[in-house]
Amino acid sequence: MRRRLSAGVLGAAALALVTPLALSAPAYADHGRDPARKLVQDVKGRHVERHLKVLDLIAKVNGGTRVSSTHGYNLSRDYVATLLRAAGYKVTVQPFEFTFDGYRTKPVLERVSPSPKTYKNGFFNDYVAMGDSPAGSASGTLQAVDLVLPPTPAPSSTSGCEPADFAGFTRGNVALMQRGTCNFAIKAKNAQDAGASAVIVFNEGQPGRTDVDLNPTLSDPSITIPSFFTSFATGSELAATPGTTVKLNWDPIVEQRTTYNVIAESRGGRADNVVMMGAHLDSVQEGPGINDNGSGTAGVLEVALQMAKYRPVNKVRFGFWGAEEFGLLGSKHYVTSLSQEEKNNIGLYLNYDMIGSPNFVYQVYDGDGDAFGVPGPEGSAQLEKDYQAFYGSRGLPYKPSEFDGRSDYKAFIDAGIAGGGLFTGAEKKKTEEEAKLFGGTAGIPYDPCYHGECDTIKNINGTALDVNADAIATLAAKYTYDKAALDAIHKPGAPHTPPAAARMAAKVAHDDVPSAAS
């Protein structure tokens, strides 16, 4: 029987991992004339990795996940809060309600015969359940419906788009269809009307249509049979042998739950121009989330612990956000809960989401908008320059990353607060040019374990993690210990000017726009 870690056990582990200097707070050290250099020296990549090992352990003993509202997440919360309190920060654990949309038991897709095989769930694996698929189980013969194999050069498959495609379909079979010219709901509804017990749609096979989609959806409440989406490789493998039998199960759950943010701030420092930085603490349900976003969490946490040794000039605040994976909910709740005066007292916000991707690129948010045409609020351009200067000082390449609304900076920049941050890449594939510039492997994702069960401690690039932890420390020191530097970004207590509504109107939340079109 697997024993759960208690909060007390995690608290003891947390204290054991705090460096002796961090525990000596609040006896401030003299940061001298160059606090940035001293802080960067204090922040060690191996200490950041210690935090990741704890988060990985928490996930391992809690079903392989740290998703918000679960025991794994709550232990992650307690670990971070315990360390920060021990270091002398004022820590607030902020509860909020959210809609949990996940599953009770892990989804199942198996080939029963011939040659039994269990397929892997996840975006970079074999399949996912359609985003709004109803619950259900099915076992039976797989029946192909009007497939085009090999696929044509351009999308053209009409598989399952017409009721006539199901002529001769055996009721109770599982319908196997191919992505193509009509949306998933039409395919699933036609299959249901023909008596299918379940639906499997596989990607069509052209370039850009081979992998599992990030969030395929049905968007049709009249569909009552479970529906899965697979990669082209999985679908074509299933289609290769007529009479293949399969088993699948989908057991979703949607309910209101409580989760938490952890907010820590220095007890000293000027309060009318706060330096704020943050990272989301939660994982997806499918995996432990060690790169996404244990890496950002661990980097910010270690910088916070080391900063506790030095007396701040400007107050510094750290946010560890819950329910980011459900639509940036924790950071949105936090910003929404602030009065206008409290918002005006935040000078800037720095965001760290995925800073140790195994096939990394060093990316800096495009604060001035010159790369993507979407600038951040006033002051964001300077933050971009600061990160660029950091990488330049080490002779490292970097590239811009769009303010596309996919991480927790969104609530802050929507409120007009200057924003910046780093990102080492998620589901997109590294180009040949990037491989020449940054190393790594072209043609595979920056993080092949993104939102998957393999996002463990083994999924971290230690070099990227160490470099980016130093970048976090560099900017934290510049704006916490230099009054003039922060005042140049934002005048103390001055009202923020939210960006034009149209600037972010087309931007999406953390997960890509749901894909209902086939």
Side-chain angles (χ1 to χ4, degrees):
M1 182 175 71
R2 186 175 285 174
R3 296 179 62 188
R4 280 186 163 185
L5 291 176
S6 69
V9 171
L10 254 293
L15 291 173
L17 283 168
V18 179
T19 61
L21 285 175
L23 272 179
S24 68
Y28 295 114
D30 177 15
H31 55 61
R33 296 179 179 179
D34 192 359
R37 182 176 61 84
K38 287 184 173 291
L39 183 61
V40 170
Q41 290 173 346
D42 292 342
V43 173
K44 308 293 186 184
R46 65 180 182 273
H47 294 160
V48 178
E49 290 182 10
R50 287 181 187 177
H51 303 307
L52 290 180
K53 289 177 180 178
V54 173
L55 296 176
D56 189 59
L57 174 62
I58 288 172
K60 282 180 179 178
V61 298
N62 285 282
T65 187
R66 298 184 304 104
V67 66
S68 275
S69 77
T70 65
H71 192 59
Y73 180 80
N74 291 345
L75 285 177
S76 302
R77 172 204 67 196
D78 294 344
Y79 174 73
V80 169
T82 299
L83 285 173
L84 293 167
R85 286 194 182 102
Y89 288 101
K90 177 183 177 183
V91 176
T92 302
V93 176
Q94 181 185 48
F96 62 94
E97 301 297 312
F98 77 110
T99 301
F100 180 89
D101 187 352
Y103 48 79
R104 293 181 180 85
T105 57
K106 290 185 177 181
V108 172
L109 176 59
E110 298 176 357
R111 182 176 63 203
V112 178
S113 66
S115 303
K117 179 177 181 178
T118 299
Y119 292 97
K120 292 183 178 181
N121 178 56
F123 296 126
F124 290 126
N125 291 317
D126 302 318
Y127 75 97
V128 293
M130 295 278 193
D132 50 1
S133 169
S137 297
S139 297
T141 301
L142 197 63
Q143 186 166 347
V145 179
D146 194 24
L147 306 181
V148 179
L149 293 173
T152 59
S156 64
S157 172
T158 61
S159 169
C161 293
E162 302 291 338
D165 293 342
F166 293 86
F169 189 87
T170 302
R171 297 186 69 85
N173 281 357
V174 176
L176 177 65
M177 294 175 285
Q178 187 175 12
R179 186 180 190 177
T181 60
C182 65
N183 68 41
F184 302 142
I186 292 174
K187 297 174 183 290
K189 188 65 165 62
N190 287 336
Q192 179 175 291
D193 291 345
S197 59
V199 161
I200 298 174
V201 178
F202 65 94
N203 218 341
E204 193 171 2
Q206 296 90 358
R209 285 194 168 205
T210 58
D211 299 333
V212 176
D213 265 15
L214 274 178
N215 195 14
T217 59
L218 295 172
S219 302
D220 186 346
S222 71
I223 296 169
T224 59
I225 56 176
S227 302
F228 283 5
F229 184 88
T230 81
S231 67
F232 174 75
T234 299
S236 54
E237 178 180 281
L238 288 170
T241 305
T244 291
T245 60
V246 296
K247 174 184 177 182
L248 56 83
N249 182 69
W250 175 235
D251 187 20
I253 181 172
V254 179
E255 64 182 17
Q256 290 299 114
R257 292 186 178 181
T258 301
T259 194
Y260 306 87
N261 294 324
V262 177
I263 311 298
E265 69 175 31
S266 59
R267 296 183 183 275
R270 190 176 52 147
D272 60 355
N273 221 6
V274 176
V275 176
M276 189 160 189
M277 63 197 77
H280 76 86
L281 182 57
D282 61 321
S283 74
V284 293
Q285 191 172 9
E286 288 77 9
I290 300 306
N291 185 40
D292 183 19
N293 182 40
S295 63
T297 292
V300 172
L301 177 59
E302 183 60 22
V303 168
L305 296 178
Q306 297 302 330
M307 289 184 78
K309 298 183 296 184
Y310 304 121
R311 189 184 305 278
V313 174
N314 301 308
K315 187 177 288 292
V316 61
R317 187 179 300 152
F318 307 90
F320 299 86
W321 312 117
E324 189 267 2
E325 299 291 0
F326 293 87
L328 317 177
L329 300 182
S331 54
K332 181 178 180 181
H333 175 79
Y334 172 76
V335 174
T336 301
S337 71
L338 299 176
S339 68
Q340 189 57 54
E341 181 181 3
E342 289 170 326
K343 293 176 188 176
N344 293 342
N345 286 339
I346 299 176
L348 56 84
Y349 174 74
L350 306 175
N351 192 72
Y352 301 103
D353 190 349
M354 302 180 66
I355 64 168
S357 300
N359 196 30
F360 71 91
V361 292
Y362 294 124
Q363 296 183 78
V364 177
Y365 288 127
D366 183 24
D368 60 12
D370 64 348
F372 298 99
V374 184
E378 184 177 356
S380 302
Q382 180 59 50
L383 298 175
E384 180 185 11
K385 290 178 183 178
D386 290 335
Y387 289 116
Q388 292 171 341
F390 168 82
Y391 289 124
S393 71
R394 298 194 173 196
L396 295 172
Y398 55 85
K399 60 176 290 188
S401 182
E402 186 179 7
F403 269 135
D404 59 5
R406 283 184 63 179
S407 195
D408 290 299
Y409 57 77
K410 185 177 189 299
F412 291 88
I413 65 175
D414 283 355
I417 297 168
L422 304 175
F423 178 50
T424 52
E427 79 281 359
K428 293 182 180 179
K429 294 180 180 179
K430 179 173 277 188
T431 66
E432 292 284 353
E433 181 181 359
E434 289 170 339
K436 292 177 182 178
L437 195 60
F438 297 95
T441 305
I444 68 170
Y446 303 125
D447 183 353
C449 290
Y450 176 64
H451 282 194
E453 64 182 22
C454 60
D455 188 11
T456 66
I457 192 67
K458 296 179 181 180
N459 191 45
I460 291 291
N461 184 290
T463 297
L465 185 73
D466 188 27
V467 167
N468 283 331
D470 287 350
I472 297 172
T474 298
L475 265 75
K478 174 177 179 177
Y479 290 105
T480 300
Y481 303 128
D482 188 336
K483 179 179 181 294
L486 184 56
D487 287 356
I489 292 282
H490 174 250
K491 297 303 179 186
H496 292 292
T497 303
R503 189 179 71 82
M504 294 298 289
K507 302 304 172 184
V508 295
H510 182 269
D511 291 318
D512 284 353
V513 174
S515 173
S518 177

